[in-house]
Amino acid sequence: KQSVFDTKDIALSSLQQSAFDSILNFWQTNDVILLHGVTGSGKTEIYIKLIEKTIREGKQVLYLLPEIALSIQLLSRLEKYFGDKIGIYHSRFSKEERVEIWNKVKDVDKEKRYQIIIGSRASLFLPFSELGLIIVDEEHDAGYKQREPAPRYNARDAAIYLATLHSSKVLLGSATPSLETYFNTQIGKYGYASLNERYLNTPMPEIQIANMK
């Protein structure tokens, strides 16, 4: 594995840099911002840069994904930059595995502690001590809603509340934001940053409308 925080090969495009700067500027006064980026626009590169900044400040990052089947490609990319500072957590782990991760999240020794947790909604309940950033990727996804068994909750909304307890920042990412999140940006409750072009000007996929009648 490469040394931790080795992100020099990530060069943000002008659009990505503008969105990155907008996020940092908004966070000076508020805590929650929506990154609205079309599919393939390069949201992950912005996530990585924000993770790096947060870890350099000595704080932890929670990266939420809606499904237990975590993206192997995403994990390999993050491990390339952050090495063994990353832990993975979801409800299908055994009790022994979950206890091990729990202890590595709360370890007082920062060299042994997980600085980044990538996980499903269950990872909200890990014992973070210095949580600085929560990324809720695909924030619109119904997989964030816990229906059965109790407790029943929406992990996106719970993440925003968790952030208030830690005075940390929240980044909601989506190509198709939920109506309530988008509405909150319109009334000024949440910040808003957009990426309306695909990375390196890759053309959008052709869309054909099929008459199902």
Side-chain angles (χ1 to χ4, degrees), residues 170-190:
V170 179
L171 180 63
L172 308 174
S174 179
T176 54
S178 62
L179 288 175
E180 59 269 33
T181 294
Y182 192 76
F183 177 76
N184 281 329
T185 69
Q186 299 304 294
I187 63 174
K189 184 177 180 180
Y190 297 168

Side-chain angles (χ1 to χ4, degrees), residues 31 113 154 156 174:
D31 295 331
R113 180 193 301 169
N154 185 322
R156 179 200 62 209
S174 179

Side-chain angles (χ1 to χ4, degrees), residues 1-5 55 75 78-88 104-105 110-117:
K1 296 177 182 177
Q2 295 187 19
S3 59
V4 178
F5 317 144
I55 292 179
L75 291 174
L78 292 177
E79 285 182 341
K80 173 184 175 183
Y81 299 115
F82 303 111
D84 58 5
K85 295 295 183 184
I86 295 177
I88 303 167
K104 290 201 71 171
V105 169
K110 286 190 176 183
E111 293 302 314
K112 298 179 181 178
R113 180 193 301 169
Y114 280 144
Q115 293 298 98
I116 307 165
I117 287 292

Side-chain angles (χ1 to χ4, degrees), residues 39-107:
T39 301
S41 58
K43 294 188 292 294
T44 303
E45 285 80 8
I46 294 176
Y47 295 162
I48 290 172
K49 289 290 188 181
L50 292 171
I51 290 170
E52 177 187 30
K53 180 179 183 298
T54 304
I55 292 179
R56 286 191 183 279
E57 294 169 353
K59 297 181 179 179
Q60 294 170 296
V61 176
L62 172 57
Y63 190 139
L64 287 176
L65 291 167
E67 299 297 333
I68 289 175
L70 301 173
S71 168
I72 300 300
Q73 183 180 8
L74 171 65
L75 291 174
S76 62
R77 287 188 67 185
L78 292 177
E79 285 182 341
K80 173 184 175 183
Y81 299 115
F82 303 111
D84 58 5
K85 295 295 183 184
I86 295 177
I88 303 167
Y89 188 85
H90 54 75
S91 58
R92 289 187 182 175
F93 280 147
S94 67
K95 289 183 179 180
E96 292 76 14
E97 289 171 317
R98 281 185 270 176
V99 168
E100 181 181 352
I101 297 167
W102 179 282
N103 289 331
K104 290 201 71 171
V105 169
K106 73 172 186 177
D107 200 313

Side-chain angles (χ1 to χ4, degrees), residues 13-51:
S13 68
S14 58
L15 277 177
Q16 287 174 315
Q17 189 64 52
S18 178
F20 180 84
D21 294 339
S22 294
I23 292 167
L24 296 184
N25 288 336
F26 183 82
W27 275 345
Q28 292 179 11
T29 54
N30 296 78
D31 295 331
V32 184
I33 188 166
L34 168 67
L35 177 58
H36 184 188
V38 298
T39 301
S41 58
K43 294 188 292 294
T44 303
E45 285 80 8
I46 294 176
Y47 295 162
I48 290 172
K49 289 290 188 181
L50 292 171
I51 290 170

